[in-house]
Amino acid sequence: MLVPDMNHTPLLTSAEPLAAHLLVLQQQGRLPGDLQLVGLLGTGHNASVFAAVMNDTHHIIKVYASAAQMRKELYHLKRVSPGRSRLIVIDEPATEFDFVFFILEQPPGRQLLSGGLTPGRSAALASQLAGLYQHCYAQSVSVRRLGRELRYARRGLTALAQLQLEPAPYQQLLQRLEVQLSQQSEQLAVPQSLIHGDLWWPNLIAADPGAYIIDWDRVRRADPAEDLAKLRLGFWFPKNAFPSRNFFWTAPTHGARVAQLMQAIADAYQSSLGDSLLPRLRFYAPLMGLHLLAQLANGRSIVEPSLRPSLYQLLAADSLRLAEDPLAPIPDLTGTEYYALIERSRRERLDGHPGPPG
């Protein structure tokens, strides 16, 4: 079955069309006869992912509606993951179905949750990211662009009244970031590196015994600190705000595991590139938190239904902590406190709370 995604691009949401196409390609000799389709693993913004077995080895089949988008991911995948074996690309759209796909050998895995964030998996992820960030370029990060992002973040201050928060600490935080950009511009204008571009926990896969990163179609050039700021904030926010989706947290006492992962990444980066991420991460992490508040202030809240004060309050407090310590652990709440917070967030609606304009 083909359905449009949010950008009106048709994506596969069942295995039947792909199975029929695979059979034709096998009969034509264009695919190995021992390839067996297992089933759908999930559907994202740009592609659908299916599990398959070939030669008793686990593979994934990533199906794109756009050949250009697929080739972009393949280009970066080959750069950041050399040595991947048995990569098969079908980039000619079928006459009956409008899709292209590639087949890639990967260890079987599952979405990484807090309970699976072991030291070994943290080390594996840190090593992969350090290898990615080694791809450096002569062009430096634009200080002018960072200035524009700070101006946008200022709009987040107008959301504080909706959250019943005292604005003074956040105004001081923004002023501090502006001073940092003004007085330490050379420290922030580092040479650009490749970054993942969509680094958050749904793109981290737990395997045995390690872990790996998926979805390389948004790779771009920027400061790795920007990548890691998104990763750190994404562990707590925003996906926990969606009542229809699973939480990263399998227990409320796993906050220290995220701190260990972030420390492992920072250590691997410094060991590999001879540079510390921490001063720049101290800038990017609170900046990204203020950006999320600015989305709320601009009426483009990313949570359902459009305003969940409990979670935004948590995000705001986390932004203040990260400005002091970019590796600060997510605070451990007791089970009662944690689940009470999430349930309260799920019940919160615009009625009874001042909503964003528009």
Side-chain angles (χ1 to χ4, degrees):
M1 178 172 57
L2 291 170
V3 299
D5 73 353
M6 62 193 303
N7 295 317
H8 308 292
T9 304
L11 295 175
L12 287 177
T13 59
S14 69
E16 287 78 7
L18 179 60
H21 188 39
L22 293 178
L23 179 60
V24 171
L25 293 174
Q26 287 174 318
Q27 292 171 344
Q28 294 174 348
R30 298 176 62 191
L31 285 179
D34 63 345
L35 175 67
Q36 295 181 344
L37 182 63
V38 177
L40 178 68
L41 292 176
T43 299
H45 292 295
N46 299 314
S48 300
V49 183
F50 297 83
V53 176
M54 188 162 52
N55 286 337
D56 297 322
T57 303
H58 184 270
H59 288 67
I60 61 108
I61 304 178
K62 192 157 188 182
V63 182
Y64 277 93
S66 163
Q69 197 73 28
M70 182 190 76
R71 289 168 188 157
K72 180 180 178 182
E73 173 160 14
L74 283 172
Y75 173 77
H76 293 299
L77 183 64
K78 292 173 182 177
R79 297 183 70 188
V80 302
S81 303
R84 293 279 194 186
S85 60
R86 299 200 64 163
L87 174 64
I88 303 172
V89 182
I90 303 295
D91 60 0
E92 300 174 6
T95 55
E96 187 176 356
F97 305 107
D98 186 20
F99 58 77
V100 294
F101 62 90
F102 63 83
I103 303 172
L104 180 68
E105 180 180 340
Q106 279 188 332
R110 58 199 177 278
Q111 197 170 75
L112 181 63
L113 303 180
S114 66
L117 193 51
T118 63
R121 289 185 176 129
S122 291
L125 295 170
S127 176
Q128 291 173 50
L129 288 171
L132 172 65
Y133 299 149
Q134 284 179 346
H135 295 272
C136 299
Y137 300 88
Q139 185 178 11
S140 297
V141 171
S142 169
V143 173
R144 181 177 296 180
R145 179 182 67 86
L146 294 179
R148 290 196 300 268
E149 294 188 4
L150 276 175
R151 289 192 291 275
Y152 177 78
R154 182 169 288 280
R155 303 178 188 178
L157 300 181
T158 64
L160 298 175
Q162 301 175 48
L163 303 177
Q164 300 177 344
L165 292 173
E166 168 57 44
Y170 302 94
Q171 293 169 345
Q172 293 169 5
L173 170 60
L174 185 58
Q175 292 168 1
R176 189 162 139 195
L177 295 178
E178 291 169 341
V179 169
Q180 184 178 358
L181 181 62
S182 173
Q183 298 182 356
Q184 302 175 22
S185 59
E186 292 184 0
Q187 188 181 58
L188 293 171
V190 296
Q192 294 180 353
S193 298
L194 281 186
I195 70 169
H196 183 272
D198 194 24
L199 193 63
W200 67 319
W201 66 269
N203 287 334
L204 308 181
I205 303 298
D208 293 321
Y212 56 92
I213 303 169
I214 61 171
D215 285 358
W216 297 94
D217 55 344
R218 298 189 186 180
V219 172
R220 56 187 175 87
R221 300 181 186 185
D223 188 335
E226 182 178 338
D227 227 12
L228 300 184
K230 179 172 183 176
L231 177 65
R232 169 58 177 77
L233 287 173
F235 279 122
W236 188 261
F237 187 93
K239 197 160 187 179
N240 283 348
F242 289 88
S244 59
R245 302 181 184 177
N246 293 329
F247 300 134
F248 169 74
W249 302 99
T250 53
T253 57
H254 289 169
R257 300 188 184 198
V258 170
Q260 292 168 359
L261 170 64
M262 298 300 294
Q263 184 68 63
I265 296 172
D267 290 345
Y269 180 89
Q270 184 158 11
S271 175
S272 177
L273 284 91
D275 183 25
S276 175
L277 273 171
L278 299 189
R280 306 196 310 274
L281 193 55
R282 188 174 288 113
F283 176 86
Y284 278 97
L287 173 63
M288 190 162 292
L290 290 174
H291 266 227
L292 292 169
L293 291 174
Q295 291 179 13
L296 172 63
N298 288 343
R300 296 199 302 271
S301 170
I302 58 176
V303 298
E304 297 171 333
S306 60
L307 178 61
R308 296 185 181 277
S310 296
L311 285 172
Y312 270 108
Q313 289 168 0
L314 195 64
L315 165 71
D318 204 25
S319 300
L320 292 177
R321 272 195 304 274
L322 292 173
E324 299 295 331
D325 178 8
L327 300 180
I330 291 172
D332 284 334
L333 304 177
T334 67
T336 301
E337 291 171 334
Y338 176 78
Y339 293 109
L341 172 72
I342 296 302
E343 287 305 313
R344 183 168 67 250
S345 169
R346 285 179 165 184
R347 291 193 304 268
E348 286 170 344
R349 296 293 185 270
L350 283 175
D351 40 51
H353 297 283

